[in-house]
Amino acid sequence: ERILTISRYYAEQLPRWHGAHLPPVAMISGGVDAARFCPSADRAEVRTKLGLKPEEFLFLAVRRLDPRMGLLALVDGFAQSAAGFPQARLWLVGNGPQRDTLQARLESLGLEDRVRLLGFVPEADLSSLFNAADCTVMPSLDLEGFGLATVESLACGTPVIGSRAGATPELLAPLSAELLFEAGDANSLAAKLKAVLANPASLPRLAACRDYAMANFSWERPVTAFEQCHRELLLEGGGA
């Protein structure tokens, strides 16, 4: 009788994918585990344990290693931008069919010392990585229905830059439109990475990221929306 979806992007795609004759669609958003994904009491200690030096600037991408995630564009953009910033580092978290291709690209660009493929990381350890990072990158090309890594990073207080694809703009633009770059465009991505490296203070601060995540993506909001939808359906059906 009704379709509930986690983003406006999905709500817009449903008629294209399934035809126009659909039940009413309601957007209830997604949520983040705010207890697990939260700012560390000592981010410097977290970074030290992971082998990061104080002066190093870490970009982090938590993605399945799949072509639609835009990771080749990220690697190419990083290669362009990092040349003038020796402190820049990039870690990719996840497994997938594109791993060998990414590894070959890193080797061809001479980035093995600055870019790491970390493979699968258990969810229990992801918060530490988000806390260690200076900036998370979401470079998806398309079909980003929500972007859980985006809100997990923000809940940890770590800013996110993302592509103008899927639901990413609706998650990031209200925080700052300057966090977005063109999907699949290594030059656009490189320009954004350079801007961040040249002026890290331009990114939203820890408290702003955390507050934004809690105000918009705590689990209370989708749960409340789901319950409200259920009550409406019961009333429409004559239930109590």
Side-chain angles (χ1 to χ4, degrees), residues 202-222:
S202 64
L203 292 170
R205 300 303 179 109
L206 184 154
C209 292
R210 174 70 178 182
D211 291 347
Y212 174 74
M214 293 304 91
N216 294 279
F217 306 112
S218 74
W219 268 115
E220 292 181 6
R221 290 191 63 181

Side-chain angles (χ1 to χ4, degrees), residues 9 63 66-71 73 138-144 163-166 182-185:
Y9 167 74
R63 307 269 72 198
D66 182 273
R68 78 169 179 86
M69 298 300 182
L71 297 173
M138 294 287 285
S140 302
L141 302 181
D142 199 2
L143 300 178
E144 192 65 58
S163 61
R164 292 185 176 89
E182 296 306 317
D185 186 336

